[in-house]
Amino acid sequence: MKYKKYDDKGNLTYFEMPRGFWYKWEYDDRGNKIRQEDKNGFWWVAEYDEDNHQTYYEDMHGCIIGFRKGQDHIKVVNKNQNNAQGWSPFAK
């Protein structure tokens, strides 16, 4: 049986599959997903600008894409080259 939990704004915050694998999500005040975590310990965080465009992504492997508030340049870092996944977290 699957288990789902939602916050008071209707955002899915927890999902557990029949064999115990789960995901957790956090959202900002505008409903943008700002954090994901799973049973295996993988996590990522994101930030968005005032127009809800994703401007920053960082994950547990050290992959950093974009810029944080207050930075004036784009930064792309992947400390673990074996983690190249060939996708962009900014894709719609």
Side-chain angles (χ1 to χ4, degrees):
M1 181 175 190
K2 296 179 208 173
Y3 174 73
K4 295 179 182 180
K5 185 176 179 182
Y6 297 86
D7 64 16
D8 58 349
K9 295 181 180 178
N11 298 309
L12 181 63
T13 58
Y14 183 82
F15 177 77
E16 187 171 325
M17 295 180 212
R19 295 187 179 179
F21 192 84
W22 54 263
Y23 292 98
K24 284 191 223 178
W25 296 278
E26 293 177 23
Y27 300 83
D28 64 16
D29 292 338
R30 294 170 292 176
N32 296 308
K33 230 178 251 184
I34 57 170
R35 181 173 174 77
Q36 177 178 302
E37 181 182 342
D38 68 30
K39 180 182 177 181
N40 293 331
F42 180 79
W43 59 265
W44 60 258
V45 295
E47 293 179 4
Y48 299 81
D49 65 15
E50 54 279 343
D51 296 320
N52 295 324
H53 297 114
Q54 188 173 354
T55 59
Y56 182 80
Y57 169 92
E58 179 178 352
D59 69 26
M60 69 174 282
H61 297 295
C63 179
I64 300 171
I65 302 171
F67 59 94
R68 298 200 96 149
K69 292 178 177 113
Q71 286 182 324
D72 59 355
H73 62 282
I74 301 293
K75 180 177 183 182
V76 177
V77 176
N78 189 347
K79 295 177 185 172
N80 181 353
Q81 294 301 319
N82 296 328
N83 187 39
Q85 298 176 8
W87 61 273
S88 168
F90 300 108
K92 296 263 180 194

